[in-house]
């Protein structure tokens, strides 16, 4: 081949490989664009589907809201409410709410703040009745306190005021910091327990006991779930502990300290097998009816809804609801909640649900977080057949 022919051949070869490259690039770009469009369509229809599911969940308005916690409008501060039933005067029952940036607030059933205790970074709170202390029968509250990684214990007085009653700093062995908490009163022994967890899914079971004129505690058992937990509640009559693994579902354990440490996941309690649930699983409480029946109410924080399961049997999922705008604003991203089936006087004659509101609005302005109060009968009537009242 002479030099001219050689050069021509090289030029032609370059042209061919240039064309091949162009074709390859064009196909690649078209493929990538097509894939992107398909992904977008899938995502959009996914969002639409999620919206359709959300729109199908019925909503109810709250009857009242508490004074906001004394923190900034942007602060994630209010966290977990506990209802204290005043059995001798139900109208004077109280809501005790944690302010995880500062302490505990006590409200009446209209939401007025009666007391505020700046006792630390209080995360979760729970109440039990009838602890015998020096011959006195008292109502007590336990709180997970992240200031010093302890359980704070209080005596609840007739007005709803609180007195510290822990004998010493009851320091947790949990790594990092304490997080969720609930109480349990054993139907077997009559003993009082506190369950407390950390963000690694470890749960301590503490037994409470009298020491002179105060209360102390000792760890009697540890439980474990694979990932982060917070919301928990115990069903005393059934001797059961429910634990919300935030990105998985609800675990059911036996609550007695000598029971097996093996838990079981409740079917349809996570977003993988229930399209009405969106993580995180947060606060939960048991609505108690006669003969061991009732409901387990759980915050599905990711879609601002609450899932309802049967208390008895295999905890069948019954449906979900939302708390929407009414005379007070609707509820978003709920952390903690509490429910009771006990009639609470003229305002809540068929029971009450209290839910933390992550986005508390005052008109069109965002205010500090607070707690919403909802009549149980208005929740019950959202279901078909309606949930029972008593
Ligand atoms: Ca929150
Ligand atoms: Ca609580
Ligand atoms: Ca949480
Ligand atoms: Ca709200
Ligand atoms: Ca409001």
């Amino acid at each position: 081949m002479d030099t001219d022919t050689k050069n021509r051949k090289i030029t032609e070869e370059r042209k061919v490989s240039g064309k091949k490259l162009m074709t390859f690039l064009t196909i690649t770009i078209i493929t990538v664009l097509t894939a992107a469009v398909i992904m977008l369509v899938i995502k959009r229809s996914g969002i639409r589907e999620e919206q359709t599911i959300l729109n199908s969940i019925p909503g109810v308005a709250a009857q009242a809201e508490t004074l906001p916690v004394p923190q900034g409008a942007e602060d994630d501060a209010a966290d977990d409410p506990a209802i204290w039933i005043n059995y001798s005067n139900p109208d004077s029952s109280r809501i005790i709410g944690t302010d995880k940036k500062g302490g505990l607030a006590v409200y009446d059933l209209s939401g007025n703040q009666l007391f505020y205790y700046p006792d630390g970074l209080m995360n979760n709170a729970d109440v039990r009745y009838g602890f015998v202390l020096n011959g006195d029968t008292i109502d007590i509250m336990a709180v997970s306190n992240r200031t010093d990684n302890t359980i704070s214990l209080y005596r609840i007085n007739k007005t709803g005021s609180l007195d510290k009653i822990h004998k010493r700093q009851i320091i947790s062995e949990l790594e990092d910091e304490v997080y969720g908490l609930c109480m349990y009163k054993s139907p077997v022994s009559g003993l009082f327990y506190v369950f407390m967890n950390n963000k690694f899914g470890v749960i301590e079971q503490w037994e409470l006991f009298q020491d002179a004129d105060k209360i102390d505690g000792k760890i009697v058992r540890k439980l474990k779930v694979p990932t982060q937990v917070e919301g928990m509640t115990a069903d005393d009559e059934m001797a059961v502990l429910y634990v919300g693994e935030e990105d998985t579902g609800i675990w059911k354990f036996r609550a007695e300290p000598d029971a097996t440490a093996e838990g079981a996941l409740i079917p349809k309690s996570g977003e993988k097998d229930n399209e009405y649930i969106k993580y995180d699983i947060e606060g939960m409480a048991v609505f108690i009816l006669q003969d061991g029946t009732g409901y387990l109410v759980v915050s599905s924080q990711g879609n601002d809804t609450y899932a309802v399961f049967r208390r008895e049997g295999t905890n069948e999922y019954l449906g979900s609801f939302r708390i929407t705008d009414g005379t007070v604003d609707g509820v978003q991203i709920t952390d903690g909640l509490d429910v009771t089936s006990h009639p609470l006087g003229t305002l809540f004659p068929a029971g009450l649900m209290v839910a933390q509101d992550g986005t508390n609005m005052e008109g069109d302005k965002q205010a500090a977080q607070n707690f919403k109060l909802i009549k149980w009968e208005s929740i019950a009537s959202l279901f078909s057949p309606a949930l029972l009242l008593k």
Side-chain angles (χ1 to χ4, degrees), residues 179 228 230 246 280 282 301 335:
Y179 199 39
Q228 182 163 322
E230 183 177 3
E246 294 186 343
D280 296 349
E282 287 279 339
Q301 191 177 52
D335 286 313

Side-chain angles (χ1 to χ4, degrees), residues 65 323 325 328-332 357-361 370 372:
E65 63 182 338
I323 302 167
D325 287 338
V328 299
D329 58 302
V331 185
Q332 295 78 28
D357 184 8
T359 315
N360 173 33
M361 302 301 289
N370 67 355
K372 292 337 196 230

Side-chain angles (χ1 to χ4, degrees), residues 14-27:
R14 276 187 185 154
K15 269 187 193 162
V16 170
S17 71
K19 266 186 192 164
K20 272 186 186 161
L21 185 65
M22 282 302 291
T23 313
F24 172 74
L25 282 176
T26 311
I27 290 171

Side-chain angles (χ1 to χ4, degrees), residues 34 104 131 135 190 291 330 385:
T34 311
L104 292 168
F131 190 97
D291 305 322

